[in-house]
Amino acid sequence: MPSRHRHIFWDMGGTLVDTYPELNQALADTAQRHGAAVPVDDVAALTHTSTRHAIDALAARTGLPAAVFEQANTDLKRRWESNPPPVMAGARELMADVRAGGGLNLVITHRDRTSAEALVAALALRVDDMVCAPDGFPRKPDPTMVQLLLQRHGLDVDDCIFVGDRPIDAEAAHAAGMASALLHKEPGHPADHWHRIDTLDDLRPLLHLEPA
């Protein structure tokens, strides 16, 4: 019987909020407008590593200045302040059930704080705390942000699980001694240190939730 966890540490983009489709399309459209067609599936493969990696790789591939893609990303973040991307299916309900069971919903993201807080506000998400790497913390897979939230809230690591969509999320959790689950894990990665889930509802058997 797997351990049952009370608190969730959430990755934001691609896990809590479905940001990738609009980001991928915005970057592909930008290349297209400048006469350098790049299939959106190719963009998606790049953004899954990081937005920074995608921008640098697209600039190298197309010969366009990185600033062109950076501006597209900035413009998209501004649009999201009033017209945000959707919350990932099942996330609101799961967060509510965690909260009802006395657990915390904590966010760890590489997104800058202004953008992250704007998304949380626009989507009316109830988040108990959030740590953003651009505030001065090393990026995942470094476990510093995980450890910070554990210490800040006085949590037992065994009561917590990190849910993300990239191996670096699981690696950060593992380095902090925390269980983790990866959503839509791409084939080919070993799963020694995390649970495989296809939907957020698949996380429920791993959680200590109040009975319905």
Side-chain angles (χ1 to χ4, degrees), residues 140-183:
K140 299 171 287 186
D142 188 285
T144 298
M145 291 189 287
V146 178
Q147 293 164 336
L148 175 65
L149 286 176
L150 286 168
Q151 294 164 5
R152 183 181 287 172
H153 295 278
L155 302 178
D156 185 329
V157 71
D158 291 335
D159 289 338
C160 307
I161 189 167
F162 195 134
V163 58
D165 68 306
R166 294 184 291 168
I168 61 169
D169 298 318
E171 290 161 12
H174 181 69
M178 185 184 295
S180 60
L182 286 192
L183 184 65

Side-chain angles (χ1 to χ4, degrees), residues 98-137:
V98 166
R99 188 164 54 250
L104 298 176
N105 291 290
L106 306 166
V107 173
I108 291 176
T109 180
H110 288 171
R111 187 175 297 275
D112 66 271
R113 181 163 292 277
T114 299
S115 170
E117 290 182 344
L119 272 180
V120 167
L123 292 165
L125 291 171
R126 290 185 59 184
V127 170
D128 294 295
D129 201 352
M130 179 165 58
V131 177
C132 303
D135 286 345
F137 302 107

Side-chain angles (χ1 to χ4, degrees), residues 5 21 29 38 69 75 80 86 114 132-133 140 142 145 170 175 182 187 203-204:
H5 310 286
D29 288 348
V38 179
F69 297 103
D75 292 343
W80 279 346
T114 299
C132 303
K140 299 171 287 186
D142 188 285
M145 291 189 287
L182 286 192
L203 200 60
R204 289 179 174 275

